[in-house]
Amino acid sequence: MTRILCPEPESFSKKGLEYASENAEVTCKSLTQKQFDNIAPDYDDLLIRFNTIIGESILNSDSKIKSIISPTTGLDHIDLEAAKRNKVKVYHLRGEKSFLKEVSGTAELTIGLMLSLLRKIPQSFEAVKKGEWEPGPFRGNEVSKKKIGVVGCGRLGVKVSRVAVALGMDVFAYDPNISRFPAGVTQINSLMKLLSKVDILTLHTPLLSDTKHLISTKEIEQMKDGVVIINTSRGSIISTQAFLDGLEKGKIKGAAIDVMEDEHSIGKTSHLLIDYANNHDNLLITPHIGGATYESVEKTDLFILKKYFSEVE
């Protein structure tokens, strides 16, 4: 029977793990990266999410690994070149457009982060917990009539755009890879033109070689003074140093992010953005929870596992 290792069972749904266990010998136990690296090469297949990095050290000629099962659209936690060289198949969600239309967690979080930031919801709740009841310090901004720029108008960008339209926002979108945009959305053919136009910028593009640091110093300088940035895509879409400089100089009025560059190092070393957030209230950070809803996790687990077992049987 196929032996599967799942080093982060807390990241998977009960139904997903039960389904896997009915069809294979599954070892589920929480492992550190080092512990995982030591034992992973002895398993046939690996069931992982973002918290586990798959590198060349375990993908080599001595490894027994045949498949990597990752119910994610982002794949920057996997060395895809090493997997290809060693004929290890990667099962993932990228490109599964029909199925992914049913998964809305990240789009919902994007709207939640935007509203939380602009209405100062986290700060006001912290004050209430301290026994304070004063609305004055937490006066925020409405999103209605604000200009929002959506970079990447695929599945998630479309969902966010439609909600933004419903909230009365003026929605502009940049995506060179599509030709049809949702009703109420104005297409902008130049990234730099979009950046100079909008009050709020939200990013929904995959991390590829040509999108790494898509937003850096030049792009931030092009933006309006006091721009707000939301990022639930991938941390490396934005240059960390350029982002930090924009916040410190006040060019960026505020930001809410669910992803950061080098997020796998968090807890081991300090991170510039977390250090900034500890001393300022205009940066809201969540720990990559975009797809971490009970509904999304269960749907994606079962979809990718059924696809995997249908091919290996």
Side-chain angles (χ1 to χ4, degrees):
M1 183 176 274
T2 300
R3 298 173 68 241
I4 299 176
L5 175 63
C6 179
E8 44 176 316
E10 67 284 350
S11 297
F12 290 83
S13 65
K14 182 180 178 181
K15 282 190 178 179
L17 294 178
E18 286 176 348
Y19 179 79
S21 298
E22 289 168 3
N23 293 275
E25 180 186 327
V26 183
T27 300
C28 291
K29 53 183 176 181
S30 297
L31 300 172
T32 64
Q33 185 69 47
K34 184 176 181 180
Q35 290 170 333
F36 170 77
D37 290 345
N38 286 336
I39 67 173
D42 291 328
Y43 285 80
D44 302 308
D45 304 300
L46 307 174
L47 179 60
I48 62 157
R49 268 195 165 90
F50 297 116
N51 290 333
T52 303
I53 298 174
I54 306 291
E56 192 166 15
S57 61
I58 65 169
L59 298 176
N60 52 55
S61 57
D62 296 326
S63 170
K64 296 178 182 177
I65 300 169
K66 300 181 184 68
S67 303
I68 300 167
I69 310 159
S70 183
T72 62
T73 53
L75 299 171
D76 47 308
H77 56 300
I78 302 171
D79 187 332
L80 296 175
E81 288 299 319
K84 185 177 179 180
R85 281 196 305 272
N86 291 281
K87 299 180 180 178
V88 174
K89 182 159 185 179
V90 181
Y91 291 85
H92 56 81
L93 298 176
R94 186 176 290 177
E96 300 286 357
K97 295 182 180 178
S98 167
F99 164 73
L100 288 170
K101 287 180 181 179
E102 304 173 15
V103 182
S104 59
T106 302
E108 292 178 13
L109 180 68
T110 300
I111 299 299
L113 287 174
M114 177 177 70
L115 296 175
S116 294
L117 179 70
L118 292 177
R119 294 303 308 272
K120 302 183 180 180
I121 294 171
Q123 299 95 317
S124 60
F125 181 42
E126 286 301 316
V128 169
K129 288 193 292 184
K130 295 174 184 175
E132 300 171 12
W133 195 263
E134 174 56 56
F138 308 109
R139 185 172 298 168
N141 294 102
E142 297 177 1
V143 297
S144 178
K145 306 303 180 186
K146 298 293 189 300
K147 295 177 181 176
I148 184 170
V150 180
V151 176
C153 209
R155 171 182 64 97
L156 294 172
V158 164
K159 288 179 183 291
V160 170
S161 295
R162 287 174 174 159
V163 175
V165 169
L167 288 171
M169 304 182 78
D170 295 326
V171 186
F172 302 88
Y174 168 76
D175 192 327
N177 299 309
I178 66 171
S179 56
R180 297 181 63 185
F181 291 78
V185 176
T186 302
Q187 178 185 4
I188 303 293
N189 292 320
S190 160
L191 175 62
M192 297 301 273
K193 184 177 178 181
L194 178 136
L195 297 178
S196 66
K197 191 176 189 68
V198 300
D199 307 303
I200 301 167
L201 179 72
T202 181
L203 304 171
H204 302 284
T205 181
L207 179 60
L208 304 170
S209 58
D210 59 345
T211 60
K212 182 175 182 179
H213 291 179
L214 182 70
I215 305 299
S216 193
T217 301
K218 180 177 72 172
E219 288 74 23
I220 291 172
E221 289 176 349
Q222 180 74 9
M223 298 177 193
K224 285 184 177 181
D225 291 343
V227 68
V228 167
I229 296 177
I230 314 294
N231 186 16
T232 57
S233 56
R234 287 295 177 272
S236 292
I237 300 297
I238 305 178
S239 161
T240 298
Q241 190 58 58
F243 185 42
L244 186 62
D245 289 345
L247 285 165
E248 290 179 334
K249 292 175 182 177
K251 180 73 174 182
I252 302 171
K253 179 181 179 181
I257 58 176
D258 187 46
V259 289
M260 298 193 296
E261 284 194 286
D262 304 317
E263 59 186 56
H264 287 290
S265 68
I266 295 170
K268 302 169 189 173
T269 61
S270 61
H271 195 287
L272 290 173
L273 294 178
I274 295 176
D275 290 345
Y276 176 90
N278 277 325
N279 295 291
H280 302 80
D281 65 2
N282 65 336
L283 176 59
L284 176 59
I285 305 173
T286 51
H288 208 145
I289 61 171
T293 65
Y294 287 104
E295 296 87 351
S296 291
V297 170
E298 185 173 293
K299 285 177 185 176
T300 53
D301 285 357
L302 292 173
F303 177 86
I304 204 68
L305 285 165
K306 287 177 180 178
K307 181 176 181 179
Y308 160 77
F309 282 116
S310 71
E311 293 187 10
V312 297
E313 288 177 352

